[in-house]
Amino acid sequence: MEYSNEFVDLLIIINDKFASILGVLVAIITAFITLVYVVFTYKQMKAAQNSTETAMQQLRLNNQPCVIPTIIATRGTKCFTKTRRQLFIEIGLDNVGDSPAITVYTFSHLELHYTYNKIIGSNTVNMDYVPSFQKCIKSGEKTETHVRYETSEINKLVEDLRVCHEKNVKRIRKAPYNNPYKGTILVIEVYYRNVIGQWFKDVLRQEICWINDKNAAPRKTNNINENTIPPCPLLDDTEFELQLVSEAFSSFSIELVEDKEIEDKLEDYKAELSC
């Protein structure tokens, strides 16, 4: 019984002298346990959120449009109104996806390799007119459109091809084993969105080897460039077409883009597109 009294006395002494310290320790331990619980709960929440976002992203990637552009034909006119001429690029658009492509814009530009476009300070030559627009291309539907270049852009193309031709002639004479110089690149860009507002961008890049005179005389030699432009000049009364490299040597890409990219593209045509 004395032992029990001593134990009780000890507890009384501990309570009197160390109660505050024990309270602090209990509070610290409780806070630590609470912190661990909060961190664990937060990690669970983030994991659930990431799973939801992944599922949403996967849902967005399902049932999407996919518009494939193809260059059907190129048609260059002879000069009219004295010096003006035009080049039309006819483009096929095939929606091979499983949902409609909405608000479809088609742009085009040329990428010069050997000359420089002083007007905009780059090697890019933009098409002349506003982009082609189609409200909707249904899943499995094929349609056609076109873009247009004018005299100034055509002349820049001819000059770039002329320099390319001269470089290739020198290469054949001095180092025929080297790779040939590439011609100007024709670029087709197609922007479209799906039903939930995501924008897609397709880019087709195809090299222009030279220009063909549609009414040229039959070739008399083995020189494939005997009647092509260049080396021949593009005359005012010449109807022409572009000689494009095989599709097997072209490139094509598809990517998701932000709304701002298409908004910036359309900004250059704001005056023409405003109602």
Side-chain angles (χ1 to χ4, degrees), residues 4 34 52 64 95 104 106 118 133 144-145 147 170 174 181-182 189 196 204 218 245 249 255-256 258 262 264-265 270:
S4 298
T34 303
T52 302
Q64 297 292 4
N95 184 3
V104 184
T106 304
K118 296 180 181 179
F133 172 74
E144 295 182 8
T145 187
V147 293
K170 292 180 181 178
K174 296 182 178 181
Y181 291 94
K182 292 186 178 295
E189 295 177 318
I196 62 174
L204 173 65
V245 74
F249 300 99
E255 62 178 315
L256 278 168
E258 299 295 331
I262 182 63
D264 291 343
K265 292 282 289 187
K270 185 177 180 179

Side-chain angles (χ1 to χ4, degrees), residues 229-247:
I229 305 162
C232 299
L234 179 60
L235 302 177
D236 291 348
D237 62 348
T238 300
E239 293 182 313
F240 63 95
E241 62 185 4
L242 305 181
Q243 178 62 57
L244 299 174
V245 74
S246 168
E247 280 192 351

Side-chain angles (χ1 to χ4, degrees), residues 4-17:
S4 298
N5 291 335
E6 290 177 358
F7 181 73
V8 171
D9 292 340
L10 178 62
L11 291 178
I12 293 172
I13 293 171
I14 292 174
N15 182 66
D16 292 340
K17 294 185 177 182

Side-chain angles (χ1 to χ4, degrees), residues 28-264:
I28 291 173
I29 294 171
T30 303
F32 177 75
I33 295 172
T34 303
L35 178 61
V36 171
Y37 175 77
V38 169
V39 171
F40 179 74
T41 304
Y42 175 77
K43 288 185 176 181
Q44 281 190 318
M45 182 191 69
K46 289 297 292 184
Q49 183 179 354
N50 291 337
S51 298
T52 302
E53 290 177 355
T54 301
M56 288 296 295
Q57 183 66 19
Q58 187 63 40
L59 180 62
R60 289 181 177 182
L61 292 176
N62 291 332
N63 301 321
Q64 297 292 4
C66 181
V67 178
I68 307 298
T70 303
I71 299 173
I72 298 174
T74 62
R75 180 170 55 87
T77 70
K78 62 177 68 176
C79 286
F80 55 95
T81 62
K82 295 185 178 180
T83 59
R84 184 185 176 190
R85 72 190 329 149
Q86 295 176 328
L87 168 63
F88 296 92
I89 313 295
E90 298 177 11
I91 303 164
L93 300 176
D94 184 5
N95 184 3
V96 299
D98 45 19
S99 70
I102 303 171
T103 317
V104 184
Y105 290 99
T106 304
F107 298 81
S108 180
H109 67 268
L110 304 171
E111 289 183 1
L112 307 175
H113 278 168
Y114 314 101
T115 55
Y116 193 69
N117 184 2
K118 296 180 181 179
I119 297 176
I120 63 174
S122 76
N123 70 328
T124 300
V125 177
N126 291 318
M127 62 185 187
D128 175 75
Y129 197 51
V130 296
S132 163
F133 172 74
Q134 289 165 297
K135 292 185 294 184
C136 178
I137 303 177
K138 298 177 182 178
S139 175
E141 182 181 12
K142 296 182 180 180
T143 186
E144 295 182 8
T145 187
H146 73 270
V147 293
R148 188 182 82 195
Y149 291 89
E150 289 273 350
T151 310
S152 174
E153 294 82 34
I154 296 170
N155 290 340
K156 290 181 176 64
L157 168 62
V158 172
E159 178 61 17
D160 198 57
L161 291 176
R162 183 189 65 78
V163 176
C164 177
H165 177 76
E166 292 177 354
K167 285 181 173 292
N168 274 317
V169 170
K170 292 180 181 178
R171 176 189 60 82
I172 292 171
R173 290 173 179 170
K174 296 182 178 181
Y177 44 81
N178 288 344
N179 292 328
Y181 291 94
K182 292 186 178 295
T184 310
I185 303 298
L186 174 61
V187 181
I188 307 296
E189 295 177 318
V190 184
Y191 288 82
Y192 54 94
R193 64 182 180 86
N194 58 17
V195 293
I196 62 174
Q198 288 178 300
W199 281 95
F200 297 82
K201 172 186 174 182
D202 297 354
V203 181
L204 173 65
R205 297 167 53 84
Q206 203 158 347
E207 179 189 351
I208 304 170
C209 301
W210 55 75
I211 294 174
N212 289 321
D213 181 349
K214 294 183 71 173
N215 299 310
R219 211 170 67 200
K220 298 179 181 179
T221 69
N222 291 327
N223 181 5
I224 60 174
N225 293 121
E226 178 183 337
N227 298 319
T228 65
I229 305 162
C232 299
L234 179 60
L235 302 177
D236 291 348
D237 62 348
T238 300
E239 293 182 313
F240 63 95
E241 62 185 4
L242 305 181
Q243 178 62 57
L244 299 174
V245 74
S246 168
E247 280 192 351
F249 300 99
S250 62
S251 66
F252 177 68
S253 62
I254 304 176
E255 62 178 315
L256 278 168
V257 295
E258 299 295 331
D259 297 4
K260 189 176 186 305
E261 182 168 335
I262 182 63
E263 290 170 1
D264 291 343

Side-chain angles (χ1 to χ4, degrees), residues 14-28:
I14 292 174
N15 182 66
D16 292 340
K17 294 185 177 182
F18 302 104
S20 57
I21 297 176
L22 291 174
V24 171
L25 289 175
V26 171
I28 291 173

